Amino acid sequence: MSIQSYLSKKKYLSFKLKKTPTKHFEIKARINGVKGRFIVDTGASNTCIDINLADHFFIDAQDSEVLAAGAGAKDMMTLEAKDVQIAIGKWKYPNLHLVLLDLTHVNMALTEHLSKPVEGIIGADILKQGHAIIDYSKKRLYLKKQKNSFNIF
């Protein structure tokens, strides 16, 4: 039995990951119904989007006291948004607490290495919520179906 059929029986959904020239895994997702491209980052504690895209994703962002750090930048100002809806394929989560920060430095690094810029990062919060399993050799992300899954978009 393949891992995909085993996890399907355990109520997991399977999603294809794209490996970028920078060796990151990328996935398409929807925030509040709007499509975007996201890096899957197991080391990022929170899912985030570029602060300049709040209006694009219909996000009502609030001030945040939290300073972000990572990927060569530290003490970055952030905004936050609660009850944001995210969907990765048929997997949906309607209560995401999203962090907004300036991803210019991330996108500059990606484009310098011939990767396309991204709108955000899928972090450990979503991976934990979805009981994520990543099959690196098959380039697949598995997320467990939500118990009370309903169509939110």
Side-chain angles (χ1 to χ4, degrees):
M1 176 183 293
S2 73
I3 190 168
Q4 189 163 358
S5 59
Y6 173 79
L7 290 174
S8 179
K9 288 181 181 182
K10 297 289 185 184
K11 306 225 185 279
Y12 275 82
L13 300 170
S14 173
F15 306 100
K16 184 176 174 117
L17 295 169
K18 177 184 174 188
K19 197 168 198 178
T20 69
T22 57
K23 310 284 191 243
H24 291 96
F25 277 132
E26 183 182 282
I27 196 164
K28 292 181 180 170
R30 292 184 317 241
I31 301 287
N32 292 334
V34 179
K35 292 179 185 177
R37 291 185 24 260
F38 296 81
I39 288 175
V40 176
D41 187 348
T42 60
S45 55
N46 293 93
T47 295
C48 59
I49 65 162
D50 191 302
I51 200 165
N52 301 304
L53 298 175
D55 290 339
H56 176 75
F57 287 107
F58 306 108
I59 292 174
D60 180 25
Q62 309 297 318
D63 288 335
S64 172
E65 305 265 330
V66 176
L67 295 176
K74 63 178 190 168
D75 295 336
M76 294 182 291
M77 298 300 297
T78 64
L79 296 176
E80 64 182 343
K82 296 179 182 171
D83 298 324
V84 174
Q85 301 169 346
I86 186 168
I88 300 172
K90 292 182 179 180
W91 186 89
K92 297 172 176 72
Y93 183 62
N95 302 315
L96 177 63
H97 180 180
L98 188 70
V99 175
L100 295 91
L101 65 143
D102 188 351
L103 293 179
T104 302
H105 67 288
V106 170
N107 282 321
M108 283 177 54
L110 289 172
T111 56
E112 285 175 9
H113 291 91
L114 306 178
S115 290
K116 294 179 182 176
V118 295
E119 284 78 27
I121 296 167
I122 302 293
D125 55 346
I126 287 299
L127 300 174
K128 183 178 177 185
Q129 181 67 35
H131 303 276
I133 296 170
I134 299 173
D135 183 340
Y136 289 90
S137 63
K138 302 277 188 200
K139 298 178 188 147
R140 306 292 303 178
L141 170 67
Y142 297 92
L143 296 172
K144 191 160 188 160
K145 290 181 185 177
Q146 299 292 306
K147 288 183 181 180
N148 295 321
S149 184
F150 53 93
N151 194 358
I152 58 175
F153 301 108

